[in-house]
Amino acid sequence: MKKILLGLLICAFSNLAIADDGEGMWLPLLLKSLNEAEMQSMGMKMSAEDIYSVNKGSLKDAIVHFGGFCTSELISDQGLLLTNHHCGYGQIQSHSSVGKNYLKDGFWAQNMAAELPNAGLTATFIVRIEDVTKDVFEGVTQKMTLKERQSTIDKNLAAVEQNVKLESHEDVVIKPFYKGNQYFLFVTTTYRDVRLVGAPPESIGKFGSDTDNWVWPRHTGDFALFRIYAGKDNLPADYSEDNVPYKPKHFLPISVDGVEADDFTLVFGFPGRTNQYLPKVAVAQTVDILNPAKIGIRDKALKIVDAEMRKDEATKIKYASKFARIANYWKKWIGESQGIKTTDGIGRKIKFEKEFTEAIAKNKKTKKAYGNILPEFEKLYKAIEPYAQSRDYYNEVMGRNIELFRTASLMKRLIGQYEQNGEAGYLGFRDRLSNYLKDFYKNYSPKIDQQVCSALLDMYIKNAAIKEATTGIYPTPTIRISYPDFIKSLYTKTAFTTQEGLDKIFQMESEAAVAKIKEDPVYKLYVQINDQYNEHVSKPYNEYKEQIDAVQRNYMKALIEVFPEKRFYPDANSTMRVTYGQVKGYQPRDAVTYTPSTYLSGVMEKYKPGDYEFDVPQKLIELYKAKDYGDYGENGKMPVCFIGSNHTTGGNSGSPAIDAHGNLIGLNFDRVWEGTMSDINYDPSICRNIMVDIRYVLFIVDKFAGAKWIVDEMKLVHPKRK
Ligand code: ARG
Ligand code: ASP
């Protein structure tokens, strides 16, 4: 049965246009049928089986989902794991304090015993992938309503999960692909003891910081080293001193021969989310309504936090990670909107939709089945617009930027536990919560949060399109309290701003604790805002969204059917993907050409002594002056970063860049400014991913940090030497 399905899929993709533009995030198990020939024509010397095999060790066994949000790869036979500095940032930060600041000074374990454990950090392997589409659609018919269809699918999903054969240390997840036209199952193994081995100082690992973020030319050594530990049986185990370094099925050898323009590159990892098949009306909504709303909110929040971070070092450490996270997508959305405008993304969608309309009109059957899709999209996106805008407002303001309300939302879940599962539910959740909150309060300043709240809650009330969501939040007419006083009183009266406040509640009997929480003014306000949101925004939003998703599923099906000569890849969904391209510069605008590599001389050009973004460590300056690059330099220069035409997105951070033979040549960490719209509107001429040159990583570990013992563990190779 599986063979037939695969056959169908291949049929759908026959007549593949051979392009070398790098677009696409492909499923490893379909490379053989869809991509191998093209990859080899672009210079790859491996087979699809070398990349993904269930039966023998292959590249995929070296690719690890890091914490569920980034990618990492094994680079030694002792479980040594390479990922980005910004992926390990939270961990590096959590081991830091003012006296022992690993963010500022870097951290290098002197030996394995000195590596630092990280509670909660995981490393997940993909054991195998299976197409389960047929089983998931068992009993689904055209005539079903959306609800009936979904409930049949849900039942089937549960049955497939039940029936899959797993070892005791394995897990399973099933995910929809091609907008729900296909389902794949993933068997995974997750390791739970992952320790920090080394990280450069921020002045290397985050060089250029937010100014250079999403920008080429780039000079950031965005890497960190971890190690996976296992039980004596090499299987996952909770942290223990007795655990031993994990022995991988495969790890990546490292090429020290460098890269040049047009070299084949493959990026292997876990891209998070893309939206390549949106209709024009949805892209326009993103650019005109949703992005500006989110950008405006974060603008305000960032300004407030930035001003406080500049005042003292303790605040800077506390808020560094949060600030970077908020600033990252704030900047991305700005670039995305700009990029869609400059590449005429809307115009391109209009042209494509015209082509689509003509293609379906050629045949009565397709016209009947798909003729309604675009008009439906128009109607539904218009209808969802105010709800989508208010939802983004709510999520940004209540769910992300005002931390006090995030705490309140956790309290609401705690009470939910009590009401549904009684004492036991309450106690279990309380203990988890209290652990989580211990870390949270270490990096929390009520003073900063109060300013953020004051600015953002007001924006939500004034700007959210659905007014019923916000009426009555601010109680002026009854209580006659000024807005600033209203916010101030929230922060003074609540128990949620300090660890002590909550500890007091958590020490009470459950019933008393629940009553106490319910009386808290912040809890009350949160519940009010949340209820109004659920009723007036979330409910209608979800109803429209469900219909949009159904139309989108049909659209995807139609595209595959009516454009058999085009090759479609599924949108990213945090599952393992392969993307490939070449080392390549680009022309961002008239008369400007970017070459694909940067060098240490460029770090020195950007150097601003004392500046928190562009300072350079003294030791690095000395190595530069002495040209002391060991075996890692190239004609007297030290390479730092390079770009390529690989199609990547958030989640691909930490992904390996692999050469034609399967060796590691770089470490993916970002994309270029002009191409940040690639999630919605990929343009091969300007979409580039940014990687750290692996030789820079080796140079920093060996020459800068003097941690040669770590390099000695790796396998360095020379594939280009004759
Ligand atoms: N833009 C990259 C990615 O989306 C790197 C982000 C980390 N760096 C930063 N300065 N915030 O995640
Ligand atoms: N920097 C991103 C990440 O963290 C990668 C990207 O968006 O290109 O995954």
Side-chain angles (χ1 to χ4, degrees):
M1 206 33 108
K2 213 164 281 158
K3 280 232 179 69
I4 298 175
L5 271 168
L6 196 62
L8 276 177
L9 186 68
I10 294 165
C11 272
F13 295 118
S14 60
N15 289 326
L16 302 183
I18 299 291
D20 65 348
D21 60 22
E23 178 168 2
M25 303 172 164
W26 306 96
L27 273 156
L29 88 162
L30 299 181
L31 288 178
K32 176 102 201 138
S33 47
L34 297 180
N35 311 88
E36 187 184 54
E38 180 184 79
M39 294 168 93
Q40 288 172 345
S41 80
M42 289 166 70
M44 184 178 83
K45 304 289 182 224
M46 294 177 283
S47 67
E49 176 91 357
D50 294 329
I51 300 171
Y52 175 85
S53 168
V54 176
N55 307 311
K56 59 170 189 145
S58 58
L59 286 186
K60 84 127 172 45
D61 297 311
I63 314 303
V64 182
H65 208 175
F66 184 84
F69 52 85
C70 273
T71 306
S72 57
E73 51 277 354
L74 287 158
I75 54 169
S76 88
D77 62 359
Q78 306 207 53
L80 188 61
L81 205 56
L82 177 65
T83 189
N84 290 141
H85 185 269
H86 81 260
C87 294
Y89 203 84
Q91 282 74 34
I92 303 167
Q93 178 199 39
S94 75
H95 297 294
S96 297
S97 56
V98 174
K100 190 182 66 170
N101 190 342
Y102 298 145
L103 289 174
K104 186 153 167 273
D105 305 322
F107 167 78
W108 304 97
Q110 293 305 308
N111 49 47
M112 283 190 192
E115 295 170 359
L116 302 173
N118 301 289
L121 183 60
T122 55
T124 300
F125 290 86
I126 302 299
V127 181
R128 60 176 194 274
I129 309 173
E130 286 171 25
D131 185 341
V132 292
T133 311
K134 167 90 188 12
D135 300 332
V136 172
F137 285 151
E138 183 77 49
V140 171
T141 66
Q142 291 290 349
K143 288 192 204 87
M144 289 179 153
T145 64
L146 286 180
K147 294 240 158 32
E148 289 164 352
R149 185 178 187 279
Q150 196 53 50
S151 100
T152 308
I153 288 178
D154 289 344
K155 261 186 239 135
N156 292 342
L157 285 171
V160 175
E161 270 196 43
Q162 271 295 308
N163 294 334
V164 62
K165 273 189 77 176
L166 297 178
E167 304 287 333
S168 60
H169 57 272
E170 291 175 340
D171 297 305
V172 57
V173 294
I174 303 172
K175 292 216 176 167
F177 288 73
Y178 293 103
K179 302 296 176 195
N181 285 288
Q182 285 200 23
Y183 282 81
F184 287 87
L185 171 154
F186 297 76
V187 174
T188 63
T189 300
T190 296
Y191 284 79
R192 304 184 296 274
D193 184 356
V194 183
R195 303 185 198 168
L196 178 63
V197 177
E202 274 187 309
S203 50
I204 291 172
K206 203 183 161 182
F207 181 74
S209 195
D210 294 306
T211 299
D212 268 11
N213 190 20
W214 302 109
V215 170
W216 184 255
R218 188 65 155 277
H219 298 86
T220 313
D222 193 346
F223 79 94
L225 291 160
F226 287 79
R227 191 187 305 281
I228 303 177
Y229 281 80
K232 298 248 158 42
D233 51 5
N234 209 33
L235 293 177
D238 287 331
Y239 169 80
S240 153
E241 269 185 44
D242 301 332
N243 285 348
V244 293
Y246 167 72
K247 288 264 171 259
K249 274 203 213 127
H250 184 75
F251 67 91
L252 301 177
I254 298 176
S255 163
V256 273
D257 285 351
V259 295
E260 52 195 318
D262 299 331
D263 277 359
F264 175 83
T265 53
L266 180 159
V267 174
F268 207 162
F270 294 87
R273 209 161 77 92
T274 58
N275 255 314
Q276 309 288 348
Y277 307 104
L278 288 177
K280 175 217 87 187
V281 45
V283 177
Q285 190 168 93
T286 302
V287 175
D288 297 337
I289 311 281
L290 305 181
N291 277 358
K294 294 185 291 190
I295 292 164
I297 296 163
R298 290 199 181 188
D299 243 345
K300 276 245 162 98
L302 287 167
K303 283 208 179 86
I304 293 166
V305 178
D306 180 68
E308 292 292 329
M309 280 171 73
R310 283 171 193 276
K311 286 185 193 158
D312 70 294
E313 196 188 344
T315 306
K316 182 152 185 282
I317 297 177
K318 273 187 182 177
Y319 273 75
S321 185
K322 285 188 263 196
F323 184 87
R325 207 168 38 238
I326 309 253
N328 192 34
Y329 263 63
W330 164 78
K331 192 165 177 184
K332 192 205 139 177
W333 292 322
I334 297 174
E336 183 176 88
S337 290
Q338 223 168 283
I340 289 172
K341 281 186 191 135
T342 50
T343 56
D344 190 22
I346 305 285
R348 283 164 56 172
K349 286 281 179 190
I350 292 176
K351 199 165 145 253
F352 181 77
E353 286 171 13
K354 197 162 159 265
E355 253 179 73
F356 173 73
T357 307
E358 284 163 12
I360 55 171
K362 281 188 194 143
N363 164 329
K364 259 201 193 132
K365 210 178 117 229
T366 49
K367 185 155 189 204
K368 180 155 182 279
Y370 306 130
N372 243 335
I373 290 177
L374 294 177
E376 278 286 301
F377 269 144
E378 282 291 333
K379 204 179 80 200
L380 288 168
Y381 272 102
K382 278 274 144 347
I384 205 173
E385 188 165 294
Y387 303 104
Q389 187 261 22
S390 303
R391 178 175 175 268
D392 275 357
Y393 252 99
Y394 178 86
N395 286 341
E396 282 293 317
V397 170
M398 300 295 294
R400 186 177 271 281
N401 287 290
I402 304 177
E403 296 177 84
L404 187 58
F405 287 123
R406 289 180 64 177
T407 309
S409 80
L410 293 171
M411 294 305 138
K412 183 157 183 280
R413 280 174 59 191
L414 178 64
I415 290 186
Q417 279 292 336
Y418 180 75
E419 284 168 357
Q420 272 172 27
N421 305 319
E423 177 88 10
Y426 171 85
L427 292 177
F429 195 73
R430 181 198 67 184
D431 292 346
R432 270 173 51 209
L433 203 56
S434 124
N435 263 334
Y436 163 82
L437 288 170
K438 235 174 254 154
D439 281 336
F440 169 79
Y441 284 117
K442 269 192 230 152
N443 296 323
Y444 179 63
S445 154
K447 183 175 147 238
I448 296 179
D449 198 34
Q450 186 179 324
Q451 294 176 61
V452 173
C453 178
S454 178
L456 266 49
L457 195 60
D458 190 46
M459 286 179 89
Y460 180 51
I461 295 171
K462 291 201 173 107
N463 302 340
I466 301 296
K467 291 296 163 212
E468 294 89 333
T470 58
T471 41
I473 292 180
Y474 169 44
T476 321
T478 42
I479 308 180
R480 289 206 190 169
I481 169 175
S482 74
Y483 180 74
D485 283 343
F486 166 57
I487 299 293
K488 196 167 151 210
S489 83
L490 284 177
Y491 279 77
T492 22
K493 288 192 185 136
T494 181
F496 302 165
T497 49
T498 61
Q499 166 111 39
E500 300 73 53
L502 268 190
D503 279 349
K504 256 196 219 145
I505 297 180
F506 284 171
Q507 277 150 17
M508 297 175 179
E509 298 286 330
S510 56
E511 200 186 325
V514 166
K516 185 90 191 150
I517 293 170
K518 282 186 171 174
E519 258 165 35
D520 193 285
V522 168
Y523 182 82
K524 282 195 197 151
L525 182 62
Y526 172 77
V527 170
Q528 179 196 338
I529 299 177
N530 183 251
D531 284 349
Q532 281 173 244
Y533 168 77
N534 284 339
E535 181 178 344
H536 299 291
V537 178
S538 183
K539 220 163 90 201
Y541 174 88
N542 288 335
E543 277 160 20
Y544 286 121
K545 186 68 172 54
E546 195 183 347
Q547 297 177 51
I548 287 175
D549 289 346
V551 179
Q552 186 75 56
R553 171 162 45 82
N554 203 26
Y555 187 39
M556 190 78 238
K557 183 159 165 271
L559 292 177
I560 294 173
E561 193 178 320
V562 304
F563 293 123
E565 74 291 356
K566 288 194 173 55
R567 191 172 44 166
F568 296 98
Y569 52 92
D571 267 324
N573 57 359
S574 292
T575 59
M576 185 179 236
R577 303 295 178 92
V578 170
T579 138
Y580 50 92
Q582 286 165 323
V583 176
K584 250 191 204 345
Y586 68 108
Q587 278 201 295
R589 52 191 174 276
D590 189 32
V592 178
T593 299
Y594 285 145
T595 53
S597 293
T598 57
Y599 297 89
L600 196 52
S601 52
V603 172
M604 298 311 299
E605 283 169 6
K606 288 178 177 173
Y607 172 39
K608 281 193 216 153
D611 182 272
Y612 85 98
E613 297 194 300
F614 292 101
D615 208 352
V616 177
Q618 200 49 41
K619 176 88 184 280
L620 191 58
I621 298 173
E622 281 158 24
L623 290 166
Y624 171 72
K625 282 192 181 143
K627 287 198 185 345
D628 186 2
Y629 304 146
D631 294 334
Y632 314 117
E634 174 189 288
N635 304 323
K637 294 175 82 180
M638 186 65 234
V640 175
C641 292
F642 65 98
I643 49 175
S645 57
N646 307 285
H647 189 182
T648 54
T649 188
N652 267 125
S653 274
S655 292
I658 294 170
D659 72 1
H661 311 275
N663 305 309
L664 184 67
I665 48 177
L667 176 64
N668 183 72
F669 71 100
D670 207 2
R671 280 170 283 166
V672 305
W673 182 244
E674 297 78 8
T676 42
M677 77 308 183
S678 67
D679 294 344
I680 304 184
N681 180 48
Y682 187 90
D683 181 331
S685 68
I686 51 169
C687 288
R688 296 288 179 271
N689 69 314
I690 310 181
M691 298 154 274
V692 191
D693 192 305
I694 203 65
R695 292 169 296 175
Y696 192 53
V697 172
L698 297 172
F699 162 75
I700 295 295
V701 176
D702 181 349
K703 287 290 183 175
F704 174 82
K708 182 80 178 4
W709 74 275
I710 303 175
V711 176
D712 288 341
E713 230 185 284
M714 306 173 192
K715 182 173 163 193
L716 306 189
V717 296
H718 289 280
K720 287 188 176 178
R721 260 189 205 163
K722 295 283 156 358

